[in-house]
Every structure is written in structure tokens, then in C-alpha cells.
Amino acid sequence: MDSLITAAGRALAAGDPLGALNRVALRDDASALALRGIAMAQLGDFVRAKALLRKAARAFGPKEPVARARCVVAEAEIALASRDLAWPTKALHAARTILEQHGDLANAAHARYLGVRRHLLIGELEAAEAALADLDPAPFPPALRAAHELMVAGIALRRLRTRQARTALTRAHHAARQAGIPALTAEVASAFNLLRTPAARLIARGVEHPLLLSEVEALLASNAFIIDACRHVVRDARASVSLATRPVLFALARALGEAWPGDVSRDALVAKAFGAKHADDSHRARLRVEIGRLRRMIGKLAEVSATKDGFALVPPRARDVVILARPVEERHAAVLAFLADGESWSSSALALALRTSQRSVQRALDALAATGKVQSFGHGRARRWTTPPLPGFTTTLLLPAPDLIG
């Protein structure tokens, strides 16, 4: 490999794409094309970067499998950065296998980390944990060690294991400083910020206040009876019941929880659960049916007692009843939660992450665009959606159950 290619590669490894382009911008050999593609990706021109990497892979040919595999890994990283979550993961796995077979363990590990990041984006925590389980980052260069710790922290944050996340992020910070890559240092700092900003709201006895992730973790471990509006679950210290597929029952449970230790009138429950402005006999009959279903669903955790005016929640073991709510509650909150990471998403990627139809996501995006909350650029399959990050809030607990996008 000639000196210019070597120097350009070192510049890219140090996060200096302009320095790399200064050395190879006018060259069209396979190695230069690959380096130019990676440089363009670091500069944010993903379309040009992808075209250059594909051209480089063709130029390398079948006699250079390692170089071609590296191009595939770089293209996979571009797909992840541009939120092209439908990019073929089998190609990434095949490239990783080739790299491992030829002893390029660092790039093989990088390929694995890309797979882990994709799992995290679409909520596949078990798959992400399995991919990291047998990988020892100790022999890797600092940048890869930082990436490993960021993945460990990402899983811990989503599991609400804040102490484990903080420890991993501290290790990532030290590794990023050793690597000397500003973008990597900024990514670690952004992850640290998730621990210092409100992640949810606590509502109890008519008063609400924000909670950090560590405070959410402590609340879930307490003796309180919790109506979790982030995941649509009712829980206490011993057990939990999911109402994610029963929105009417959850609406009733939340209304009763917000009024605890008092009761809620029948007319108010009808309005909360059914959206009726005026309750009639049919609404009250339906309310009795739904209250009976709620009693059966949460009977092991709490009773729903009839009162003179309506119904009241009576949790026998809990000392307090609280509502755990998202920082921002509005229609299409799940779509906003994904867009709040500041990246550009396609509607197909959002549909994959939310596990719903692309048409449902498109309707939500159109409604949000009409109110100025999101904006798009590009046309057709290249269209992407974005929104400014929510000020002062982490998005970790803004991600509700996948079927709750509306």
C-alpha cells in the first residue's frame, strides 16, 4: 500500500475526513475509492459515500475478499447512520465472517457492533446482549473499546440499570479520550447526558414532577403501586400486568390511579375511557363491563371498589399509588420519540422500529408535519424525516410499546 493511502487511512481513523480527501480525492483506484467513500460518509454525504463504496467493492474484485468485506461493513455503517434499517443484514454477517476467517478481528468486531446498534434501534435487547456476550474488547484499539462500552451502556440504559450504564460510559469516556476522535467523544458525552436529564414524570396525589432514569429505577424497585404509562403496565413490587393491548382498561386504571385515594365518578370514567362528552345508559352499561374486566386483570395486585359516586382503586400491599408518565404526552408520541434523536429517518425505518405498517407511520408523520412538529426532505424512497431534539428530555422512556404509535 502506498504512502498516500496509508496517510489517508490514518486520517480517517483519527476522524479527519478532509485530511484524507486531500490525499486521495483525485484517485480512482479501489483503495482510494473506498477511503473517499468513508470520508464522504464522515462528512454526512451518505448518497455519494454509498456509491463510492460500491464502486470500490467492484474494483477490488473477487481476489481481494477482505477489502470487499471492509467495503460492505462501511456501507452497513452508512445505512445505520442514515437509518436505512432495511439494509440486508445477511451481507453484514457474511462480511464479518470473511474478516474473522482472514484474521481482521478489529473490523470484524466493528461489524458486530454495527449489528448490535441496529438491534438497539429497533428494541431487540436480547439479540444485542447475545451479540456482545462473547466479545472481549480488551485487545482492540481505543475507538473500538469505546464503541463496545457504548453498546453495553445502551443496553443497560434501556434495561434501567443506571449504575451499570454509568460504569460503562466512564470506561467509554477514557477509551474515547485515548482515541482522540472528537465525534466519538461527543457521542459518549451525549450518552452521559441521558443520565442527567428527565426521563419521565411522576404523578401522585395531583402533583407531578420530573424523574431522572436513576429515580425511575428506584421507583420501580419500591413498594409503590405503579401505573406505568410509558409501557402501559400496572405493577407493584411483586408482580406486573400488561394492559398494552387493552387501552380502555389502561385508561380506567390510570384515571383511578390519578384520583387515589379518592374515587372517580362514573361519568368521569366514561369520558376518560370512551371519550363520550355525555354519559347515557349504554355508556354506563359498558363501563360496568369494562370495570369487571379490569378487576379480573389486576385482581392479584389491587381491588376496584364501587363507591356511592363511582369507583376507587384499593391496592392492599402498596403504600402509595403513582403514575409513571412520559415526559411529553401527545398523539403520535412514539414517532416523535424516535425522531427526537436528531437523526433523519425514513418512514420504512420507523415502521420497522415501531413494528407497525409503513402506512400508519406515514399518516402519523403527515399529521405531525401539518402542525410543524416534523419536517421532511428528499422525495420518494429518499425522503427522510427529522425533528429537533426535545429540549431537556432524554428519549429513552419515550419509546412505548410498539403497537402504541397513535
Side-chain angles (χ1 to χ4, degrees), residues 175-398:
R177 289 186 62 184
Q178 290 178 345
I181 302 175
L184 184 58
T185 303
E187 185 176 358
V188 175
S190 177
F192 256 124
N193 197 46
L194 297 177
L195 296 170
R196 298 189 289 263
T197 52
R201 290 178 299 131
L202 178 70
I203 304 171
R205 299 176 185 265
V207 178
E208 66 175 71
H209 61 86
L211 294 180
L212 302 179
L213 277 174
S214 58
E215 294 171 325
V216 174
E217 182 182 15
L219 175 65
L220 296 179
S222 72
N223 291 324
F225 183 87
I226 303 169
I227 299 170
D228 186 345
C230 298
R231 300 171 182 82
H232 285 208
V233 169
V234 176
R235 69 175 84 222
D236 64 10
R238 300 182 184 181
S240 65
V241 174
S242 174
L243 299 177
T245 60
R246 309 296 293 271
V248 170
L249 298 190
F250 185 81
L252 291 172
R254 177 165 180 172
L256 293 170
E258 289 176 345
W260 186 88
D263 62 355
V264 186
S265 70
R266 289 168 176 80
D267 288 352
L269 287 173
V270 165
K272 289 278 189 179
F274 311 137
K277 294 182 179 180
H278 304 286
D280 56 25
D281 290 342
S282 64
H283 289 127
R284 295 188 183 93
R286 184 183 174 192
L287 177 63
R288 288 194 295 270
V289 172
E290 298 297 346
I291 287 290
R293 289 172 177 165
L294 181 62
R295 283 170 171 155
R296 289 192 294 272
M297 290 287 291
I298 68 171
K300 294 181 179 180
L301 304 179
E303 298 176 5
V304 179
S305 299
T307 66
K308 179 181 178 181
D309 296 321
F311 296 92
L313 190 67
V314 185
R317 293 191 295 264
R319 297 179 180 177
D320 204 358
V321 174
V322 300
I323 312 296
L324 182 65
R326 305 183 195 112
V328 177
E329 291 189 290
E330 60 177 273
R331 200 177 178 203
H332 310 307
V335 174
L336 281 174
F338 278 96
L339 293 176
D341 67 356
E343 300 294 340
S344 302
W345 288 74
S346 66
S347 59
S348 60
L350 286 168
L352 180 62
L354 288 163
R355 300 176 190 175
T356 188
S357 71
Q358 187 173 350
R359 183 60 191 138
S360 296
V361 170
Q362 190 61 56
R363 285 196 296 267
L365 289 169
D366 289 341
L368 291 168
T371 58
K373 295 177 180 177
V374 302
Q375 58 188 7
S376 66
F377 58 90
H379 300 281
R381 300 180 68 178
R383 193 179 193 186
R384 294 293 185 269
W385 296 84
T386 186
T387 189
L390 293 171
F393 291 106
T394 172
T395 63
T396 303
L397 286 185
L398 277 176

Side-chain angles (χ1 to χ4, degrees), residues 72-73 76-77 87-97 110-112 114-115:
V72 171
V73 173
E77 186 167 13
W87 192 86
T89 56
K90 289 184 179 179
L92 180 62
H93 179 75
R96 193 188 86 198
T97 301
H110 183 54
R112 184 178 297 203
L114 292 177

Side-chain angles (χ1 to χ4, degrees), residues 48-74:
R48 180 62 176 159
K50 188 182 297 185
L52 286 167
L53 286 167
R54 289 180 175 176
K55 188 175 180 180
R58 291 192 297 268
F60 279 121
K63 293 184 179 180
E64 299 182 82
V66 174
R68 295 184 71 183
R70 290 171 180 169
C71 289
V72 171
V73 173

